[in-house]
Amino acid sequence: MKFTDIFIKKPVLSIVVSLVILFLGLRSITELGVRQFPKTEDTLITVQTAYPGASAEVVQGFITTPLERAIASAEGIDYMTSSSSEGVSTINVYMKLNYNPNAALSEVLAQVNSVLNQLPKQAQLPVITKTSVTNVAYLYLAFTSNGMSSSQMTDYINRVIVPQIQAVNGVGQVMVYGNKTFAMRVWLNPTKMAEFNITPLQAQQALASNNYISATGYTKSPYIQINISTATDLHTVDEFKNLVVANYNGTLIRLKDIAKVKLGSINYSATNIFNDKEAIVLGIFTTPTANPLTVVDNIDKILPSMKTQLPTAMNMKVAYDRTTYIKTSIDEVVKTVLETLIVVIAVIFLFLGSYRSVIIPVIAIPLSIVGGMFMMFLLGYTINLLTLLAMVLAIGLVVDDAIIVVENVDRHISEGKSRLEASLLAARELGVPILAMSITLVAVFLPIGFMSGLTGALFKEFAFTLAGDVIISGIVALTLSPMLSSKFLKEETIKKGFVHFLDKQFDGVRKLYTKILKVVFDSKPVVVFVIIVVLTSAYFLFITSKSELAPTEDQGAIFVQGTGAPTATLNDLEHSAKQIEHVYKTFPELQQYFMELGFGSSNNALISGFMLKPWNERKKTQMEILPYLQEKLSTVPGLQIVAFPLPSLPGSQGLPVQFVIMTTSSYEQLYQVSNELIAQAMKSGLFAYIDSDLKYDQPQIDISIDRSKALSMDINMQTLGDSLSTLLSENYINWFSMQGYSYKVIPQVLDKYRFDQNSLKKYYIAASNGQLVPLSSIITLKTTTVPEALNRFNQQNSATISATMKPGVTLGQALNYLENLSKKIFPQGYTYNFSGQSRQFVQEGSSMLITFIFALVIIYLVLAALFESFIDPLIILISVPMSITGALIFLSLGFATVNIYTEVGLVTLIGLVSKHGILIVKFANDLQDQGIPKKEAIEQSAQIRLRPILMTTAAMVFGVVPLLLATGAGAASRFDIGLVIASGLGIGTFLTIFIVPTVYLLIGKDISKAK
């Protein structure tokens, strides 16, 4: 190939080409952003509508159903869930991956607006928010105080802290957990109201009519305009206390006569704890398109300023920062890149034995990696865990080209040629093989880059970064490496010292290999049998390997969720929280923790974050701690508790198993089916925890009305309903202003007048003659049991089975069991679906298998074009099942699982191991072109190419050793892909160097005979 002669004979040109690549790469590094994963847009649109006091059935029928029907017609929806519980409707709309989040919000908003006129007048307007799917914020800030109440802290946070955080670019939702926003609480006394002949509606109308915000206008003359402000609203507790409700026999009845008026909180059913102290916690979410690392870094910059503004009695601390794990993971991968570079250089030296020989690959490796950065910049990529992982593998890949060139030049020099002659001849011989190997590797990664779904979104940058590095490596191998070889290598026909020692050892290896190869040639039926066995075993090894979406990473945090009885109160949760705190403190790995009490639709649950010490300050990993934590928490009475890790990949939330049962049948029947499935699943021994979100255990008081008696007293249903709503629902009447902010006015009866159902009989409403009638005279009460919430999945009644697996059980095993079980026990009209991590796992499904087959087809066609043969590519690719089987042996033995990292590793093996076949087959064809017989040609080719094959294999295998030895943040995924590469390439190479020559001898074209 004369093209390479130009760069050898014109060294300045070669250096200039390399310097251009270097400078473009260095400049690109400064422009590349840094993030955890490649940019993905996983959008969740939440539509929440409050209807205080309404039952779950009423909420579902009059709010959730019309909203769901309208929203379902929006574009880009993957799936939709809804939950209708007492007083609130929540609809979660999960958009398809990478669907434009702004377009999604606009579509959902338009559909919601189209049915607003169908919603009950007493319902509040729907609140629509847009966030990423992961329901764990990237940053949690905890505020505590020794002298301020929770309401005072909340008010300060809403006024001062939240606006500053929301001003940071990329911040999405800022959630205030333990929210105790001020409210004017009007605690009505039914006995006093009856005494003064005041009805609930009179109290409500007095508040609505006399706390009125007016916009009066202004006076205007030809020359002067003056604005008018009318004090029709109320501002202070005293003003509300003195509000006139009625005139009773000439006496003014004021609000303070029938109620206790207090500046309180909007709710008293939730609170937060941070390290033993009551706290207000801020959860800061990012927008779907934002880079969390940048957002949190920008927030960190303003935290010192916010701390200095805090009142002296108030403290602020970072409760949890998810980006700490991300940054540590990236640092670990960067460290792995450097370790891999050192290991590969050491391996090269041990194979070549000459410092001069090592200089060339040492220059080629960083040049190819840095040059690849320019390709990343052109494609708009970022430095993230996957592109860095690509660089780790690229070190082993790009060094191959340099090693092959150096070894070939060195061989020609040993045969007596000058450095220049040897370099020219070696470059010409290797031009086509290097081109073929580069194109082959690029062809391997192209199908990954064009995959859809989560795997495609994540690994596109991985694949094209590797492809870019390989392209640059090929350019360097054909331009710089031959030129450097012509300048640096010694012209020695007789080698001495360590080089001589190495050559002697390799001569011994080559002779042994030649003897074995001749025996293999004489045992062709055995080789064919081995090939059949390997191909067959690959299938069985694959189906016996455990599968999951991704390995569980040690992210330095375990989340705990506990659910109490449906009647549990905040007092019950606080008692349980103390016991959970005691369990936490038994773990020396604990750094800090926080809890949100009163979490969930029924305010009977808690969620907590158990934060671990940094990775270098503890001996146990998160995965080792979790089962012991679960075991201890299971002893806490009154709560059903599950401890679970965060998802390893973006775009999901909650527990790993989320199996959705769907039907059009009633919730009662659905409840029975879900319970049967749970009961049998627990007997399987696969699950550490399993539960359903459909619970038929919520007590409800049903009020039956004697309509005839009510009508005879001229009491209509609206009056009755509005009266009870005013007394019990905790709905707000209107707003009042205080220091420039508005707060709710909430009337409700005192706690002691709503202890139980008998309290309701003591309420009074007005008859037509103005006299108060006891409610007990027209109603009867009955206690029933109803679901805590009515849930739907894609507008069908649903029950979601959430579970965690026992140690050693994978997500694939769990879902496969539930699918098979459901087929056995589901009645007619029942089906199933998936959400969360389970949905991701199922959606990715066989996509990688299709990609694997596609990659093989592409490589076959590329090699056919390069070799002008349909047989040679088959010979080369026979090595692929050898390496795949080698990797699957370790997966089947349980060293790792089949997941998206190991699957990508398997696809990568196609390109890695096929390089060996290319070297052997191309050189054998060249020897046949020179008139050498076929058998002798393949023997010589295999012998001559043995050393570079072993060198490149050793460089790649030892190059991934840092991945195998990785610890700390993100180590699990690095280990998995490293295991596949090391085992697959090691075993595959051992088989390839015998099987490829034999297959060549069996079906390869006899060029010399044809001539």
Side-chain angles (χ1 to χ4, degrees):
M1 187 175 181
K2 303 287 182 163
F3 171 75
T4 55
D5 295 0
I6 300 171
F7 297 96
I8 299 171
K9 293 177 179 179
K10 295 184 177 182
V12 174
L13 174 62
S14 177
I15 292 170
V16 167
V17 170
S18 298
L19 287 176
V20 168
I21 292 172
L22 178 66
F23 290 138
L24 287 174
L26 291 173
R27 182 69 183 90
S28 299
I29 291 174
T30 61
E31 300 296 323
L32 294 175
V34 180
R35 58 191 305 144
Q36 181 182 14
F37 289 111
K39 183 179 177 181
T40 55
E41 294 175 353
D42 51 317
T43 306
L44 169 63
I45 307 293
T46 301
V47 181
Q48 192 167 67
T49 311
Y51 189 3
S55 68
E57 192 173 358
V58 169
V59 169
Q60 186 183 64
F62 292 93
I63 294 180
T64 306
T65 299
L67 286 174
E68 273 186 322
R69 287 175 179 170
I71 294 169
S73 61
E75 294 288 335
I77 295 176
D78 181 21
Y79 67 101
M80 178 171 59
T81 66
S82 69
S83 176
S84 303
S85 55
E86 184 183 354
V88 64
S89 162
T90 304
I91 300 173
N92 290 319
V93 186
Y94 296 84
M95 309 307 296
K96 291 177 181 176
L97 188 66
N98 289 330
Y99 189 82
N100 187 310
N102 294 323
L105 180 63
S106 299
E107 292 233 15
V108 172
L109 181 61
Q111 298 303 326
V112 169
N113 288 337
S114 70
V115 294
L116 285 180
N117 61 339
Q118 299 178 29
L119 305 184
K121 292 181 180 179
Q122 298 91 338
Q124 298 173 19
L125 288 174
V127 177
I128 304 175
T129 55
K130 174 189 71 175
T131 60
S132 60
V133 172
T134 305
N135 64 347
V136 178
Y138 278 96
L139 184 67
Y140 289 91
L141 300 176
F143 296 84
T144 57
S145 176
N146 294 323
M148 297 173 67
S149 68
S150 295
S151 291
Q152 289 172 321
M153 284 197 294
T154 302
D155 197 56
Y156 178 84
I157 290 167
N158 284 328
R159 288 171 180 266
V160 180
I161 304 297
V162 171
Q164 293 184 65
I165 292 174
Q166 286 177 329
V168 175
N169 188 37
V171 170
Q173 199 173 8
V174 181
M175 297 291 293
V176 183
Y177 300 107
N179 184 6
K180 300 285 186 179
T181 300
F182 280 125
M184 191 63 68
R185 299 307 299 250
V186 180
W187 299 107
L188 299 170
N189 185 327
T191 303
K192 291 285 187 183
M193 292 170 67
E195 184 182 328
F196 290 108
N197 206 38
I198 302 296
T199 67
L201 289 184
Q202 280 182 285
Q204 179 195 37
Q205 289 163 4
L207 286 167
S209 303
N210 295 295
N211 178 38
Y212 180 74
I213 301 169
S214 60
T216 310
Y218 50 85
T219 65
K220 187 173 183 180
S221 70
Y223 302 103
I224 298 175
Q225 176 176 307
I226 301 175
N227 294 332
I228 300 172
S229 175
T230 307
T232 57
D233 56 337
L234 306 175
H235 302 277
T236 66
V237 172
D238 286 339
E239 289 178 351
F240 275 93
K241 284 182 177 180
N242 292 314
L243 173 66
V244 175
V245 178
N247 187 335
Y248 182 65
N249 296 331
T251 303
L252 296 180
I253 309 302
R254 300 183 184 275
L255 194 59
K256 63 184 178 182
D257 298 324
I258 61 168
K260 288 184 178 180
V261 182
K262 181 183 177 183
L263 183 62
S265 167
I266 57 170
N267 76 77
Y268 296 94
S269 57
T271 190
N272 267 24
I273 297 171
F274 175 68
N275 293 346
D276 283 332
K277 293 184 177 181
E278 186 176 356
I280 305 296
V281 176
L282 279 190
I284 302 166
F285 296 80
T286 62
T287 58
T289 57
N291 181 353
L293 287 174
T294 304
V295 173
V296 174
D297 281 344
N298 289 335
I299 293 172
D300 286 340
K301 291 174 184 176
I302 64 173
L303 286 183
S305 152
M306 288 195 293
K307 281 185 178 181
T308 59
Q309 299 172 32
L310 292 175
T312 53
M314 194 170 173
N315 301 304
M316 177 177 72
K317 190 174 181 182
V318 174
Y320 177 48
D321 182 354
R322 278 181 66 193
T323 63
T324 300
Y325 162 73
I326 299 172
K327 292 171 184 174
T328 307
S329 298
I330 291 172
D331 290 343
E332 287 291 331
V333 181
V334 171
K335 177 184 169 187
T336 302
V337 170
L338 297 175
E339 290 171 346
T340 302
L341 186 60
I342 293 168
V343 169
V344 168
I345 291 171
V347 169
I348 296 169
F349 176 73
L350 290 175
F351 271 84
L352 295 177
S354 165
Y355 291 107
R356 288 173 176 264
S357 301
V358 172
I359 288 174
I360 298 166
V362 166
I363 293 173
I365 294 170
L367 182 59
S368 299
I369 300 298
V370 173
M373 297 283 191
F374 177 61
M375 305 288 281
M376 290 171 60
F377 172 73
L378 291 178
L379 294 169
Y381 292 168
T382 59
I383 296 173
N384 55 65
L385 292 176
L386 294 176
T387 51
L388 285 171
L389 188 59
M391 292 177 201
V392 173
L393 298 182
I395 292 172
L397 284 174
V398 302
V399 75
D400 288 4
D401 296 336
I403 287 174
I404 291 167
V405 171
V406 172
E407 192 277 337
N408 206 30
V409 173
D410 185 67
R411 181 173 61 83
H412 283 300
I413 290 175
S414 300
E415 294 171 356
K417 298 181 179 64
S418 67
R419 289 185 302 190
L420 181 61
E421 288 178 316
S423 298
L424 289 168
L425 184 58
R428 291 169 187 168
E429 288 177 348
L430 293 175
V432 172
I434 287 175
L435 181 64
M437 289 187 296
S438 298
I439 294 175
T440 299
L441 282 169
V442 171
V444 166
F445 298 121
L446 280 178
I448 299 176
F450 289 109
M451 283 182 68
S452 58
L454 181 64
T455 305
L458 292 179
F459 283 93
K460 179 179 181 179
E461 294 192 14
F462 169 88
F464 287 162
T465 296
L466 261 177
D469 290 340
V470 168
I471 291 170
I472 299 296
S473 172
I475 294 171
V476 172
L478 295 176
T479 57
L480 185 65
S481 295
M483 186 277 291
L484 292 177
S485 298
S486 71
K487 304 295 181 185
F488 282 98
L489 297 184
K490 284 185 178 181
E491 294 183 353
E492 295 178 332
T493 54
I494 300 176
K495 297 179 180 179
K496 302 175 183 178
F498 186 55
V499 177
H500 174 66
F501 171 77
L502 288 175
D503 285 349
K504 190 175 179 182
Q505 301 306 312
F506 273 110
D507 282 341
V509 171
R510 187 180 294 111
K511 288 175 184 177
L512 177 62
Y513 169 67
T514 304
K515 288 180 182 178
I516 298 173
L517 187 62
K518 288 179 179 179
V519 173
V520 172
F521 281 170
D522 294 334
S523 310
K524 295 183 186 70
V526 175
V527 173
V528 173
F529 176 75
V530 169
I531 293 172
I532 294 170
V533 168
V534 168
L535 289 171
T536 307
S537 62
Y539 169 75
F540 289 103
L541 288 170
F542 181 78
I543 63 173
T544 56
S545 299
K546 295 179 180 180
S547 60
E548 60 184 342
L549 182 63
T552 302
E553 295 286 5
D554 183 350
Q555 300 189 46
I558 298 172
F559 278 76
V560 174
Q561 185 173 315
T563 306
T567 55
T569 64
L570 183 59
N571 290 335
D572 295 323
L573 294 177
E574 286 175 337
H575 177 71
S576 298
K578 291 187 182 299
Q579 297 181 66
I580 293 173
E581 288 174 336
H582 177 71
V583 170
Y584 282 176
K585 291 173 183 177
T586 63
F587 287 86
E589 296 83 7
L590 173 68
Q591 184 177 44
Q592 58 192 27
Y593 64 89
F594 65 86
M595 294 188 201
E596 182 189 355
L597 312 183
F599 169 79
S601 59
S602 301
N603 296 318
N604 63 337
L606 64 82
I607 191 163
S608 173
F610 178 94
M611 307 307 154
L612 300 170
K613 291 177 180 177
W615 294 264
N616 59 352
E617 294 180 20
R618 52 184 165 92
K619 294 180 181 179
K620 291 184 178 179
T621 66
Q622 169 189 300
M623 289 72 78
E624 292 171 329
I625 295 168
L626 195 146
Y628 293 106
L629 179 63
Q630 176 69 66
E631 183 181 350
K632 289 188 175 184
L633 289 173
S634 298
T635 63
V636 175
L639 287 179
Q640 189 175 11
I641 298 179
V642 57
F644 59 96
L646 290 174
S648 299
L649 298 177
S652 66
Q653 58 182 350
L655 303 188
V657 175
Q658 293 184 47
F659 186 82
V660 185
I661 306 173
M662 303 165 60
T663 183
T664 54
S665 300
S666 68
Y667 283 102
E668 290 88 344
Q669 292 175 327
L670 176 58
Y671 178 67
Q672 293 173 0
V673 172
S674 64
N675 278 353
E676 184 182 353
L677 186 137
I678 289 173
Q680 294 199 35
M682 282 304 293
K683 294 177 184 177
S684 69
L686 298 175
F687 302 96
Y689 168 92
I690 188 167
D691 195 19
S692 169
D693 64 354
L694 179 59
K695 300 180 186 296
Y696 244 92
D697 57 2
Q698 178 75 52
Q700 177 176 289
I701 300 171
D702 289 341
I703 300 176
S704 298
I705 304 165
D706 188 333
R707 290 176 176 263
S708 299
K709 188 181 288 187
L711 184 61
S712 68
M713 298 178 185
D714 200 20
I715 298 173
N716 60 52
M717 296 301 104
Q718 182 178 356
T719 300
L720 181 60
D722 288 348
S723 297
L724 289 173
S725 178
T726 301
L727 295 170
L728 298 168
S729 74
E730 206 172 14
N731 199 359
Y732 70 97
I733 299 296
N734 50 25
W735 301 75
F736 76 100
S737 67
M738 183 174 66
Q739 298 178 4
Y741 278 69
S742 57
Y743 302 89
K744 292 178 179 178
V745 178
I746 304 174
Q748 194 176 22
V749 294
L750 287 162
D751 286 354
K752 65 180 181 180
Y753 294 110
R754 51 191 172 99
F755 274 156
D756 54 33
Q757 65 180 31
N758 292 323
S759 301
L760 304 182
K761 297 178 180 179
K762 300 174 184 178
Y763 300 162
Y764 293 83
I765 57 173
S768 57
N769 58 7
Q771 293 298 312
L772 293 184
V773 177
L775 196 59
S776 58
S777 64
I778 60 171
I779 67 168
T780 55
L781 304 176
K782 183 176 72 172
T783 302
T784 59
T785 302
V786 297
E788 292 183 22
L790 301 176
N791 303 304
R792 283 181 179 156
F793 188 95
N794 286 342
Q795 300 186 73
Q796 289 192 49
N797 295 344
S798 70
T800 299
I801 309 299
S802 300
T804 57
M805 298 78 70
K806 285 188 175 179
V809 179
T810 63
L811 181 60
Q813 287 176 289
L815 294 181
N816 187 55
Y817 173 81
L818 290 176
E819 286 186 82
N820 291 332
L821 179 60
S822 66
K823 292 172 184 176
K824 294 177 183 177
I825 68 171
F826 278 6
Q828 184 72 27
Y830 282 73
T831 184
Y832 61 84
N833 212 313
F834 307 90
S835 63
Q837 296 176 62
S838 300
R839 189 176 187 84
Q840 288 181 329
F841 176 79
V842 172
Q843 284 180 336
E844 297 310 300
S846 59
S847 61
M848 189 57 76
L849 178 62
I850 296 169
T851 301
F852 185 87
I853 296 170
F854 185 40
L856 277 176
V857 172
I858 292 294
I859 290 175
Y860 174 81
L861 296 176
V862 167
L863 290 174
L866 289 170
F867 282 82
E868 193 57 32
S869 167
F870 290 108
I871 299 298
D872 286 350
L874 288 176
I875 300 169
I876 293 168
L877 293 178
I878 197 65
S879 59
V880 172
M882 310 300 140
S883 62
I884 298 300
T885 302
L888 287 175
I889 290 171
F890 288 84
L891 298 186
S892 181
L893 290 173
F895 287 92
T897 61
V898 176
N899 56 63
I900 60 174
Y901 289 100
T902 52
E903 287 173 339
V904 168
L906 291 172
V907 174
T908 305
L909 278 177
I910 298 175
L912 291 176
V913 77
S914 61
K915 293 172 73 172
H916 302 337
I918 291 171
L919 283 175
I920 293 172
V921 171
K922 178 64 175 71
F923 197 62
N925 287 346
D926 289 345
L927 291 175
Q928 284 203 71
D929 284 336
Q930 296 171 21
I932 298 175
K934 178 181 175 181
K935 184 175 181 181
E936 188 180 340
I938 190 61
E939 281 184 1
Q940 285 189 33
S941 175
Q943 292 173 40
I944 291 170
R945 292 306 180 209
L946 177 65
R947 187 168 184 175
I949 286 173
L950 293 179
M951 287 169 65
T952 55
T953 300
M956 191 70 210
V957 170
F958 286 103
V960 298
V961 166
L963 296 178
L964 297 174
L965 301 178
T967 57
S973 56
R974 301 202 299 277
F975 172 84
D976 281 11
I977 197 168
L979 177 68
V980 168
I981 298 297
S983 59
L985 189 59
I987 295 172
T989 299
F990 176 75
L991 294 173
T992 295
I993 58 177
F994 295 106
I995 289 177
V996 167
T998 308
V999 174
Y1000 185 90
L1001 200 58
L1002 282 170
I1003 64 173
K1005 186 177 180 181
D1006 194 336
I1007 301 173
S1008 58
K1009 186 179 290 186
K1011 285 186 176 182

